[in-house]
Amino acid sequence: MASIAPLINPLAPKRWVWLLAAVFAILSCLYAQWRAPRPSGDDVSTFVTGQRTTLTVRGRLTQAPTTTRSDRARFILAVEQVNPAGRDDGTISDAFRPASGELYVTLPLLQSTGLSPGQRVDVTGSLYLPSGADNPGQFDFQKFLARQGIFAGMAARQVTPQEEGSGWGGWRLGRRVVQTHVYGAGMPEGALLSAIILGNRAVDVPNDVKDTFIQAGLAAALAASGFQVTLVLGAVLALVGDRHPRWQFGIGLISLLGFITLTGVSPSVLRAGVMGAGSLVGRLFQRRTRPLVFLLVAAVLLLIWQPLWFYDLGFQFSFLATFGLMTTANVLEKRLDWMPPLFGAALAVPIAATIWTLPVQLFAFGRVAPYSILANVLTLPLISFATFGGIFSGFLGMFWIPLGGAIAWLLYPVVHAVIAIAQLINQLPGATSYTGTIALWQLLLTYGILVIVWLFPNISRRWWLAGIAAVAVLFLPGTLDRATQFQAIVLAVTRAPMMLIQSGGAAILLNSGDAQTATNTLLPLLQRAGINQIDWAIATSPQPDASEGWGVLLKNRLPIKAFAEVPGAAPQTYKSLQQQLQSEGVRLQSLSTNPINLATDRAQLELLSTTPLALRLQLQGTPWLILDRSDRPSQTKLLSLPNGAPRLKAQILWLASDKPEPLEADFLGAVAPETIIVTSSQLPPGFAKAIEDQNIRLLHSSRDGAIFWNAQGTIQSLRDREDSQSFL
């Protein structure tokens, strides 16, 4: 590039600029590798001896406890010592050994009462190594913690305080602000008011409220960033505007540091803080500042401090949205000059931010909020007013909570109206649309188009052509791929067999799991695959909680066209679900011994037996045999079925049992599988060797993750797919 670019365009940067940029890029990669967190020799993770190890850990809390989605408390513990001799009765011996690192701790809510940052505690529970993502789209908990330098977790059952926490700190002031707002506005309005000011990282916002805002496209309202910093800094400078510039600089800088202390260290707040400090420097030296330069400086400084923030979505969204406001908002406002100025400016800001953040949103989530711009326009005046009032209320509450609470009480209708607007937006048709994730080349090409439009004014006059090109790059490849795709995904779950079949835009789902599985595993998969409805839903599990997952899908406005279940397996299990489905016009039927087409003639399902459950699935002519148990009596019963041996013959045998048992020679000979898939947490001793001795391929979900099958007959595990897609 250094040799060719000057020849193609004489105005291009000189060779030494390209070479310097290349050297900088190489050094940045090396620096990022050097700064990547790694466990030390005495890290707490080295004390994990099995799947879960019971012991006692002593250390200090680095943050105030917050609440998880499963209604447990969590916090990060800076480890000092480990006692492997901690006993199940909670008693602690003196056999503590030095240790280091940080530990992710979850515990019952009552056990977290009174805990505060800086406090030294003894925590007794089960130590474990965090698990990675076993299914596509699933949250990678292991990678998330590793980027923070955390390599172990603990499911604690008892916490014993050893020392009190620090008596003063930003966390205590932040807690007092939250107490003030909740005292005056109640819940959840008070917590939401605090989150609008301090960000949701510093405030425990109820998960249902948080999900409502995310679904409506209002997630930015819960992230402390430039808007709050601008208000704080503007108010302070207005109060000391008649002072010497040095006074303005000092007081403004102290205000910035105080706000960052209250909200906690997050990329978006630090970005705004660095840019605010830059504006103070310009004010001190009486020079005009260049916002884009300060934005670049802020990015470089933050990545020097923490290189792994490059992968943090908060970091990416904050910088991209700010860049969009700087480069695109004014242009859009001029093109909207036919509207009243107030409306034009109100529209330009969310549109500019959306243009520059949408590609990353599609790359990471595969989801868009079609009404996000409308939601932001409607709530902007209310959120602005709530921010002003909330800052004033919180400031007064630091001195006297009832006084600040009175202001928060006056803000209750405003905050409640914001929640009501978000809920109303989510009830609109197509409020959440799953588009499917985009590839890296689509991401880079789209940003290339946006940068070209920004840099070259002549091209920007034909912005509509660039817009069509960007939309085509983002959405057309995925649409065409889904229209021709035929594949099946066996999910790595153990409670019941779960499979997603995609056939030319139709979606067939075998079981949905319980509520937690549907929320954490199934919905992210459907989102990344761009599936907005289930054409065929098949329920086979008789477990009491088996219908919870279907309810989660309906709650998330994912319609079901047809629903089938195993006849007589558990008549009460799906009774309330069936009533709900009937009220929504869903076609109901029972599985039978006659093959039925599942939304397409390329997928057929036949019920062979209810006890044990045995299903014969034909995918593009490839026979599957699905069993929920493999004990000897079940194998014998299946072999005794009318015309049993020919009906059992399958290319793929799927043992969907958490406790698979060895397969007898006669049964294995009747099925004659080429591949055996086992979805279980563990395999019995000798099981794997016995299968492999028969020259049969064995795939185990706990080891290999989810299993992918396509129309060409290729079977690939999630681990193999990740390795093949890795740059290394």
Side-chain angles (χ1 to χ4, degrees), residues 10 105 327 353 488 510 591:
V105 180
T327 61
L510 175 65
L591 297 177

Side-chain angles (χ1 to χ4, degrees), residues 58-125:
R58 176 172 294 170
R60 293 186 182 274
L61 275 72
T62 63
Q63 59 180 215
T66 57
T67 307
T68 68
R69 288 186 176 272
S70 55
D71 292 326
R72 288 173 60 86
R74 64 183 170 194
F75 59 82
I76 305 299
L77 187 74
V79 177
E80 298 174 353
Q81 295 176 309
V82 169
N83 180 5
R87 294 187 287 274
D88 292 339
D89 60 1
T91 60
I92 304 170
S93 69
D94 295 328
F96 277 98
R97 296 165 52 185
S100 64
E102 291 188 324
L103 185 65
Y104 176 87
V105 180
T106 59
L107 68 160
L109 282 175
L110 291 178
Q111 288 284 330
S112 67
T113 304
L115 298 180
S116 59
Q119 186 175 16
R120 176 180 286 178
V121 296
D122 286 347
V123 184
T124 302

Side-chain angles (χ1 to χ4, degrees), residues 215 426-432 532 552-559:
Q215 185 178 350
N426 291 337
Q427 297 301 315
L428 296 177
T432 299
N532 290 284
V552 171
L553 297 185
L554 296 174
K555 182 181 178 181
N556 283 270
R557 302 174 67 84
L558 274 158

Side-chain angles (χ1 to χ4, degrees), residues 43 53 83 125 167 182 201 223 247 277 308 370 397 433 535 556-557 563 594 604 608 624 689 714 716 721:
D43 188 87
T53 305
N83 180 5
V182 173
R201 294 196 181 193
W247 275 93
L308 292 182
S433 178
D535 296 273
N556 283 270
R557 302 174 67 84
F563 184 87
N594 296 319
Q604 295 180 330
L608 301 181
W624 292 56
K689 186 176 184 306
T714 302
Q716 189 179 32
R721 174 172 287 202

Side-chain angles (χ1 to χ4, degrees), residues 491-537:
L491 277 69
V493 295
T494 59
R495 293 290 301 275
M498 285 186 65
M499 171 188 280
L500 174 66
I501 303 171
Q502 298 169 262
S503 175
I508 305 159
L509 181 62
L510 175 65
N511 289 317
S512 62
D514 56 17
Q516 184 175 359
T517 301
T519 302
N520 300 331
T521 301
L522 183 56
L523 281 178
L525 172 60
L526 299 177
Q527 186 173 303
R528 291 179 65 88
I531 295 174
N532 290 284
Q533 75 172 28
I534 304 299
D535 296 273
W536 263 93

Side-chain angles (χ1 to χ4, degrees), residues 696-717:
I696 300 174
R697 184 183 181 187
L698 176 64
L699 293 172
H700 185 208
S701 61
S702 292
R703 178 194 65 193
D704 303 311
I707 311 299
F708 296 80
W709 176 92
N710 61 28
Q712 290 73 40
T714 302
I715 300 179
Q716 189 179 32
S717 70

